[in-house]
């Protein structure tokens, strides 16, 4: 070992001991999905702590000169069936706790491994074990041993992303509990016989802990539950905490904080209940807790069985393009979206076809490089290298039994960590909306494709909005870019309306009699009715008309100004009721395999049609010399605040929609919730510097480059950023709503106006959009199961070689009955004639 000892002595400075805060990648290769469990194990650089599979460790050694790597291999232990009679797995226990991986919660199978580690020295791959170190010099033995032990003990980066244990019942202490104000109003609550003080409901009742008032809870997505009177009481009084009557026991109760919008702990609950005459120690549980209700929802069947095709034996599929993805804990929304995206040629060409070039140009830490991690994911899904049957822990390795449906698959831990970094939702392990993630990922692609091919152009299209003033009959045309068509669901067009009305009458009878609930029928909505609802004119009240210089009524129609290569349609199943309570529409829509949208093509200005004058509406600020706060509609601001949105965001929503009402303001809020300055104070253009006076030097170069990459000139990007206080998202919205203004700018090929004749001036470039026929065929759809986008499960179906395939996380099977009528996101590709 003298030679090895000398090598280690010479490279000792490159062998580090992990310190707190170091990122240790010991579970996954930076360029592939190789892991310690894979053939060949994983090599962890003992200097940078990056992990590499056998295919890429030589590349890293050659590029960096690093020689010492910790080689980790794990072998799965065989499980003895000591407690099994051989007749199958024991029945799973019914969950009693809203949790994962802990006693009483939803079960997460854990596999056990034997782990072997040793140091490997490149380029000759000389191996050094812990026993070998004993005979080496003290300085070598101590440094290498500490590094090995530190790497083994350190938490890997992926550890925090894996769902090992999650407890949905762990609640935070309410910030209101310690100093909660309680009124001395003489109210005393009896131990039973409660009812809502407004509607006389006798279940789902909540007592406000400030004034002792008893009201019914929120209405559930299906119309059951309460009538929102407890929520309305909070909105009127601001009293934040309420306890659910019927859940009070000596061990505690359900306490909800309206201000914090979550179930909370109240460590002074006995004292707060005693104030209204309730002895917590004598109370008994008479109603299901919110946790029990949520568990019941998560065990619900119906659409779950249909969408997952649970009633049939599905044939597992293996091979290129048929790779499953592990669920990292509520990551099925990400799995479904990425499976679909990498069936699109643009994404395959951008990231997979040139993967060697991408990897060769990767930075020193490829785990933080967007292009590298997207290419790694795309290759993992398309290559077929990981599309293999997952071993059954109880199988004999030499057994030739039929493989299970689960695959080895890939676990997109690095990818999820990277695309979710800094995002308040996608950085968590909570369930998310697949449509919101799709837009988030497209936005990241846009920002990372400032030059060269941009695969998100496959979805990009122009929308023309035509507004006609009903008093003057003059029109205004604007265009904007979009990536998804949001299709409304006209419930009043259901073809089984009589059946639905009868079910509603029956539901009311069941509720009044106290009988158990029954399965309601699903509304059958024609797809043609959804398209008609999308294209029908919308009436705008309080529209400021530049022709009559006053507010009046107008109609707005929306049409396609271009048709994208790939069309994404979102069925707007998740909506708000008249009381702004979120709900999911339980509908079946006969979505067609072939789609022709040619009739929805925009026609532009018509012969003889007059346009509205380009006159700005009156300013929303007082005409004093000193700039003051804008004159805002206080009632609209208050309505938005009552829905739980920040005050400054509500003020901006009303300001930027010109005091045109709650609907317009609400749409602004929903479209800008992810803005970095969403809750920041409203800053008026002109309060520090008016639009157009911001010096070019103060404009973020990154924002300028992003807008220029979308096909606009630098001057146009500068103007947009100046008009929106350098907020990128608002600048992009602004630029697409001011295309007519931008066309009047003199822009040369270099981006700066120059002298010359009118004939020599080129028209300014617009957004890069592809156009063609409006005829499409369905090739994929993503379905959601559950009551809300924030819970439940996503799966996707993709058509491959005329065969529908279901991708349900690690399960990839031939689909027998693709539930095309229950989808949430539909993906169409253009039919080339």
């Amino acid at each position: 070992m003298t030679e090895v000892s000398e090598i280690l002595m010479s490279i000792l400075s490159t062998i580090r001991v992990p310190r707190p805060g170091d990122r240790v990648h010991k579970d996954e290769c930076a360029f592939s999905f190789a892991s310690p469990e894979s053939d060949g194990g994983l090599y962890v650089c003992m200097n940078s702590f990056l992990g590499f599979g056998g295919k890429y460790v030589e590349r890293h050694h050659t590029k960096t000169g690093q020689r010492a790597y910790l080689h980790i291999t794990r072998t799965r232990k065989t499980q003895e069936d000591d407690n099994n009679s051989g007749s199958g797995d024991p029945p799973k226990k019914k969950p009693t706790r809203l949790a994962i991986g802990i006693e009483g919660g939803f079960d997460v199978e854990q596999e056990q491994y034997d782990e072997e580690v040793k140091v490997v020295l490149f380029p000759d791959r000389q191996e050094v074990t812990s026993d070998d170190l004993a005979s080496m010099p003290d300085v070598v033995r101590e440094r290498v041993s500490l590094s090995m032990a530190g790497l083994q003990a350190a938490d890997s980066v992926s550890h925090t992303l894996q769902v090992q244990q999650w407890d949905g019942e762990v609640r935070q202490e309410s910030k209101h509990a310690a100093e909660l104000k309680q009124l001395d109003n003489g109210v005393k609550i009896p131990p039973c016989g409660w009812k809502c003080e407004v509607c006389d409901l006798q279940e789902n009742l909540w007592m406000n802990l400030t004034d002792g008032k008893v009201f019914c809870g929120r209405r559930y997505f299906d119309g059951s539950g309460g009538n929102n009177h407890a929520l309305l009481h909070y909105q009127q009084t601001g009293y934040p905490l309420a306890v659910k009557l019927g859940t009070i026991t000596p061990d505690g109760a359900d306490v909800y904080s309206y201000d914090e919008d979550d179930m909370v702990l109240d460590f002074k609950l006995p004292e707060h209940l005693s104030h209204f005459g309730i002895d917590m120690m004598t109370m008994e549980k008479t109603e299901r807790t919110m946790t029990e209700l949520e568990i019941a929802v998560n065990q619900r069947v119906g659409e779950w069985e249909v969408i997952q095709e649970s009633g049939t034996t599905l044939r597992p599929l293996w091979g290129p393009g048929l790779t499953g993805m592990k669920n990292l804990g509520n990551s099925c929304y990400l799995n479904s979206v990425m499976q679909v995206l990498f069936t699109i040629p643009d994404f395959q060409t951008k990231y997979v076809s040139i993967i060697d070039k991408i990897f060769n140009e990767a930075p020193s830490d490829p785990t933080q490089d967007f292009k590298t991690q997207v290419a790694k994911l795309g290759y993992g899904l398309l290559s077929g290298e990981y599309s293999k049957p997952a071993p059954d822990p109880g199988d004999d390795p030499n057994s030739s039994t039929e493989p299970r449906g689960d695959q080895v698959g890939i676990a997109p831990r690095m990818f999820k960590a990277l695309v979710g970094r800094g995002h308040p939702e996608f950085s968590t392990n909570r369930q998310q909306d697949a449509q919101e993630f799709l837009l988030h990922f497209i936005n990241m692609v846009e920002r990372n494709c400032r030059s060269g091919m941009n695969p998100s152009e496959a979805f990009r299209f122009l929308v023309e909005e035509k507004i006609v003033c009903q008093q003057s009959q003059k029109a205004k045309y604007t265009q904007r870019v979009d990536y998804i068509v949001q299709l409304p669901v006209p419930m009043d067009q259901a073809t089984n309306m009589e059946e639905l009305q009868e079910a509603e009458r029956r539901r009311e009878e069941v509720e009044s009699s106290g009988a158990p609930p029954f399965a309601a029928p699903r509304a059958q909505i024609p797809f043609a009715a959804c398209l008609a609802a999308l294209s029908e004119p919308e009436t705008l009240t309080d529209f400021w008309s530049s022709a009559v210089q006053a507010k009046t009524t107008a109609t707005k129609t929306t049409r396609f100004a271009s048709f994208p290569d790939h069309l994404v349609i979102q069925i707007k199943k998740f909506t708000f009721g008249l009381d702004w309570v979120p709900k999911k529409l339980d509908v079946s829509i006969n979505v067609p395999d072939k789609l022709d949208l040619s009739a929805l093509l925009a026609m532009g200005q018509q012969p003889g049609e007059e346009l509205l004058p380009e006159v700005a509406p009156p300013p929303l600020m007082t005409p004093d010399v000193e700039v003051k706060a804008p004159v805002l509609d206080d009632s609209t601001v208050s309505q938005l605040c009552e829905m739980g949105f920040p005050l400054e965001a509500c003020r901006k929503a009303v300001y930027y929609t010109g005091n045109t009402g709650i609907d317009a303001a609400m749409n602004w809020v929903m479209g800008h919730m992810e803005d970095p300055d969403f809750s920041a104070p409203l800053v008026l253009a002109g309060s520090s510097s008016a639009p157009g006076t911001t010096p070019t030097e103060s404009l973020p170069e990154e924002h300028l480059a992003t807008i220029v990459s979308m096909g606009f000139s630098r001057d146009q990007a500068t103007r947009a950023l100046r008009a929106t206080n350098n907020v990128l998202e608002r600048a992009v919205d602004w630029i697409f709503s001011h295309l007519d203004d931008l066309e009047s700018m003199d822009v040369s090929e270099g981006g700066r106006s120059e002298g010359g004749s009118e004939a020599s001036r080129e028209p300014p470039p617009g957004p890069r959009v592809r156009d063609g026929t409006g005829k499409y065929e369905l090739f994929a759809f993503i379905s959601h199961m559950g009551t809300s986008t924030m819970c439940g499960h996503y799966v996707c179906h993709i058509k491959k070689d005329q065969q529908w395939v279901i991708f349900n996380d690690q399960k990839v099977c031939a689909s027998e009955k693709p539930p095309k009528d229950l989808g949430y996101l539909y993906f169409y590709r253009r039919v080339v004639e």
Side-chain angles (χ1 to χ4, degrees):
M1 296 298 292
T2 304
E3 180 186 356
V4 172
S5 179
E6 290 176 353
I7 294 174
L8 285 172
M9 180 69 78
S10 67
I11 63 171
L12 211 55
S13 62
T14 67
I15 298 177
R16 297 173 50 221
V17 179
R19 294 172 296 183
D22 282 338
R23 297 167 57 87
V24 178
H25 297 273
K26 63 177 184 180
D27 286 337
E28 182 180 346
C29 172
F31 294 109
S32 72
F33 292 94
S35 70
E37 297 86 49
S38 305
D39 291 340
L42 191 74
Y43 295 84
V44 179
C45 172
M46 299 181 77
N47 183 268
S48 66
F49 308 136
L50 293 171
F52 301 95
K55 183 178 178 180
Y56 294 101
V57 64
E58 288 276 7
R59 178 200 299 257
H60 184 257
H61 160 67
T62 302
K63 188 174 183 179
T64 65
Q66 176 66 24
R67 298 189 64 181
Y69 296 83
L70 185 70
H71 186 215
I72 307 175
T73 56
R74 297 189 190 126
T75 306
R76 183 169 49 86
K77 296 178 181 178
T78 58
Q79 296 182 359
E80 301 296 330
D81 293 335
D82 295 337
N83 300 321
N84 234 335
S85 61
S87 58
D89 295 331
K92 293 183 179 180
K93 294 182 180 179
K94 182 177 180 180
T96 59
R97 187 176 183 85
L98 188 63
I100 294 175
I102 67 175
E103 183 65 28
F106 291 88
D107 184 43
V108 176
E109 295 182 6
Q110 298 288 338
E111 293 186 353
Q112 299 297 320
Y113 292 90
D114 289 319
E115 185 173 273
E116 179 183 345
V117 298
K118 57 191 173 187
V119 176
V120 177
L121 302 177
F122 281 75
D124 298 326
R125 295 183 180 254
Q126 293 152 302
E127 298 181 356
V128 182
T129 66
S130 297
D131 293 338
D132 296 332
L133 291 173
S135 59
M136 295 187 181
D138 291 346
V139 63
V140 173
R141 182 177 65 252
E142 181 177 349
R143 171 66 69 86
V144 177
S145 296
L146 286 174
S147 180
M148 293 177 68
L151 286 172
Q152 287 182 273
D155 282 338
S156 66
V157 173
S158 64
H159 177 77
T160 56
L161 298 177
Q162 291 176 307
V163 176
Q164 301 296 340
Q165 179 171 307
W166 169 77
D167 193 346
E169 294 182 50
V170 175
R171 297 170 182 172
Q172 300 299 315
E173 183 69 46
S174 172
K175 63 182 181 182
H176 301 289
E179 305 295 334
L180 183 69
K181 177 183 176 182
Q182 291 193 286
L183 304 182
D184 291 323
N185 53 9
V187 172
K188 298 298 178 184
I189 304 298
C192 59
W194 315 292
K195 64 180 181 180
C196 176
E197 296 185 19
V198 177
C199 64
D200 291 340
L201 273 181
Q202 298 180 17
E203 59 182 15
N204 191 21
L205 299 176
W206 296 77
M207 183 192 78
N208 192 285
L209 288 173
T210 294
D211 59 9
K213 298 287 187 179
V214 177
F215 297 103
C216 60
R218 301 186 192 227
R219 183 175 296 122
Y220 302 144
F221 77 100
D222 59 356
S224 62
N227 293 313
N228 300 312
H229 291 136
L231 173 62
L232 293 174
H233 181 64
Y234 159 72
Q235 293 172 346
Q236 294 165 0
T237 63
Y239 300 155
L241 298 185
V243 61
K244 186 176 184 183
L245 298 176
T247 68
I248 303 171
T249 69
D251 296 324
D254 276 356
V255 178
Y256 188 81
S257 172
Y258 291 100
D259 178 53
E260 296 158 289
D261 194 23
D262 205 352
M263 303 297 296
V264 295
L265 294 177
D266 177 4
F267 72 97
K268 286 190 173 182
L269 185 59
E271 175 186 330
H272 293 155
L273 292 174
S274 178
H275 181 83
F276 297 109
I278 299 177
D279 183 356
M280 186 171 169
M281 302 306 295
T282 64
M283 299 297 290
E284 295 182 0
K285 180 173 172 292
T286 60
E287 281 219 3
R288 287 195 293 180
T289 65
M290 300 306 293
T291 297
E292 290 168 336
L293 289 171
E294 197 163 347
I295 290 174
V297 167
N298 282 321
Q299 289 186 303
R300 193 182 65 165
V301 289
E303 67 176 359
W304 291 70
E305 289 189 337
V306 174
I307 291 175
Q308 295 187 103
E309 304 185 53
S310 301
T312 57
T313 301
L314 301 180
R315 175 171 56 89
L317 299 176
W318 328 97
L322 298 169
T323 304
M325 297 176 70
K326 293 181 181 179
N327 193 319
L328 305 179
N330 290 324
S331 65
C332 51
Y333 67 92
L334 178 150
N335 294 352
S336 296
V337 169
M338 299 314 299
Q339 288 282 11
V340 174
L341 289 185
F342 273 107
T343 64
I344 296 173
D346 296 77
F347 285 88
Q348 296 175 0
T349 302
K350 174 69 177 181
Y351 295 109
V352 182
S353 299
I354 56 171
I355 191 169
D356 287 336
K357 181 175 183 293
I358 292 173
F359 285 179
N360 287 332
E361 297 174 354
S364 58
D365 186 357
T367 69
Q368 302 301 300
D369 183 58
F370 180 80
K371 188 185 296 185
T372 299
Q373 292 308 311
V374 177
K376 166 184 164 180
L377 178 67
Y379 181 81
L381 291 175
L382 298 176
S383 66
E385 288 184 12
Y386 309 97
S387 182
K388 304 171 183 176
D392 190 322
D395 282 349
D396 183 332
N398 300 318
S399 172
S400 59
T401 57
E402 187 72 19
R404 301 182 302 163
D406 285 16
Q407 291 191 6
V408 171
I410 59 177
R413 298 186 186 98
M414 283 186 191
F415 175 81
K416 183 177 185 296
L418 184 63
V419 298
R421 185 176 59 195
H423 193 282
E425 293 298 333
F426 300 129
S427 61
T428 72
N429 282 344
R430 295 190 293 268
Q431 184 63 278
Q432 305 298 335
D433 187 341
Q435 179 257 1
E436 291 181 2
F437 176 75
L438 173 60
L439 290 178
H440 172 72
F441 182 72
I442 287 176
N443 186 44
M444 294 194 74
V445 172
E446 293 277 12
R447 296 188 181 195
N448 285 275
C449 293
R450 294 173 183 161
S451 61
M453 177 187 177
N454 184 345
S456 64
E457 290 178 10
F459 300 121
R460 193 188 297 161
F461 61 95
L462 285 175
V463 176
E464 179 190 273
E465 291 183 346
K466 175 183 178 182
I467 299 178
V468 179
C469 167
Q470 293 301 289
Q471 193 167 337
S472 66
Q473 290 301 307
K474 295 182 178 180
K476 177 182 180 180
Y477 289 87
T478 59
Q479 287 190 343
R480 60 178 171 84
V481 159
D482 216 330
Y483 296 87
I484 294 180
V485 176
Q486 294 184 313
L487 207 59
V489 181
M491 296 297 290
D492 58 345
Q493 298 295 310
T495 57
N496 58 336
M497 187 62 73
E498 291 185 3
E499 182 184 13
L500 296 174
Q501 292 173 345
E502 175 60 29
E504 177 63 19
R505 286 192 294 269
R506 185 180 170 192
R507 185 184 68 81
E508 293 175 355
E509 294 174 358
V510 166
E511 286 184 355
S512 61
S513 64
F518 66 98
R522 181 172 288 126
Q524 308 290 326
I525 311 294
F527 184 80
C530 299
L531 270 186
L534 174 71
S535 59
E536 67 182 10
E538 175 187 354
T539 300
L540 304 178
T541 57
D542 293 331
F543 172 75
W544 192 86
S545 170
S546 58
V548 300
Q549 292 289 299
K551 287 187 176 182
T552 183
T553 302
T555 58
K556 181 176 78 171
T557 53
T558 303
R559 293 291 185 271
F560 288 91
S562 69
F563 290 118
D565 286 352
H566 292 79
L567 182 72
V568 185
I569 295 179
Q570 176 196 14
I571 303 297
K572 296 181 68 175
K573 291 185 174 184
F574 302 99
T575 182
F576 291 94
L578 296 176
D579 49 10
W580 293 103
V581 175
K583 63 178 181 178
K584 178 181 177 181
L585 304 177
D586 187 17
V587 295
S588 170
I589 301 176
N590 60 332
V591 177
D593 289 313
K594 302 286 185 179
L595 183 61
D596 188 351
L597 299 177
S598 303
L600 297 182
L601 179 64
M603 305 303 293
Q605 184 179 357
Q606 298 300 296
E609 186 177 50
E610 291 189 61
L611 299 180
L612 284 166
E614 290 293 333
V615 179
L620 290 175
M621 58 184 76
T622 55
D624 301 336
V625 175
E626 180 183 355
V627 176
K628 296 182 179 180
V631 180
L632 302 177
D633 184 345
D634 290 337
S635 63
T636 305
V637 174
S638 298
Q639 289 182 66
L640 290 173
C641 287
E642 289 173 357
M643 297 173 198
F645 300 112
L647 172 61
E648 288 299 331
C650 300
R651 296 180 72 244
K652 283 193 282 191
V654 176
Y655 175 72
Y656 287 117
T657 55
N659 283 338
T660 53
I662 184 66
D663 290 340
M666 186 65 188
N667 288 334
W668 187 96
V669 167
M670 301 307 288
H672 292 78
M673 290 182 69
E674 294 186 9
D675 289 359
D677 64 341
F678 180 66
S679 303
L682 172 62
V683 178
L684 299 179
S687 58
S688 56
S689 61
T693 64
T694 305
T696 304
E697 299 81 54
S698 67
L699 298 177
E701 192 62 34
E702 180 182 355
H703 293 359
L704 283 168
T706 298
I707 297 177
V708 170
S709 73
M710 301 174 72
F712 296 100
S713 71
R714 187 177 179 87
D715 279 353
Q716 293 169 327
T718 298
R719 185 175 175 186
L721 287 167
R722 285 175 175 172
T724 55
N725 292 310
N726 293 342
V727 178
L728 177 61
E729 288 78 6
R730 281 173 35 207
V732 173
D733 290 342
W734 186 94
I735 204 168
F736 286 122
S737 62
H738 291 75
L739 292 178
D740 293 338
D741 297 339
L742 295 175
E743 287 174 2
S744 65
M745 295 179 65
D746 296 334
V747 182
S748 71
E749 186 175 353
R752 177 69 63 180
S753 64
E754 299 175 352
S757 66
E758 289 292 326
S760 67
R761 293 175 181 169
E762 293 292 331
R768 294 195 193 101
V769 293
R770 306 171 189 175
D771 201 4
T773 68
K775 296 181 179 180
Y776 294 92
E777 63 179 356
L778 183 68
F779 74 92
F781 61 95
I782 295 174
S783 306
H784 173 268
M785 297 156 279
T787 61
S788 163
T789 55
M790 299 301 109
C791 66
H793 184 57
Y794 287 96
V795 302
C796 70
H797 287 72
I798 303 174
K799 198 171 187 179
K800 291 179 177 283
D801 299 326
Q802 303 306 310
Q803 164 71 57
W804 281 102
V805 179
I806 179 173
F807 291 80
N808 186 359
D809 290 334
Q810 283 177 263
K811 291 184 173 67
V812 180
C813 300
S815 173
E816 299 292 336
K817 298 178 181 178
K820 288 182 284 188
D821 60 322
L822 299 180
Y824 174 48
L825 297 176
Y826 293 87
F827 296 79
Y828 285 85
R829 64 167 65 96
R830 194 196 317 276
V831 175
V832 180
E833 296 179 343

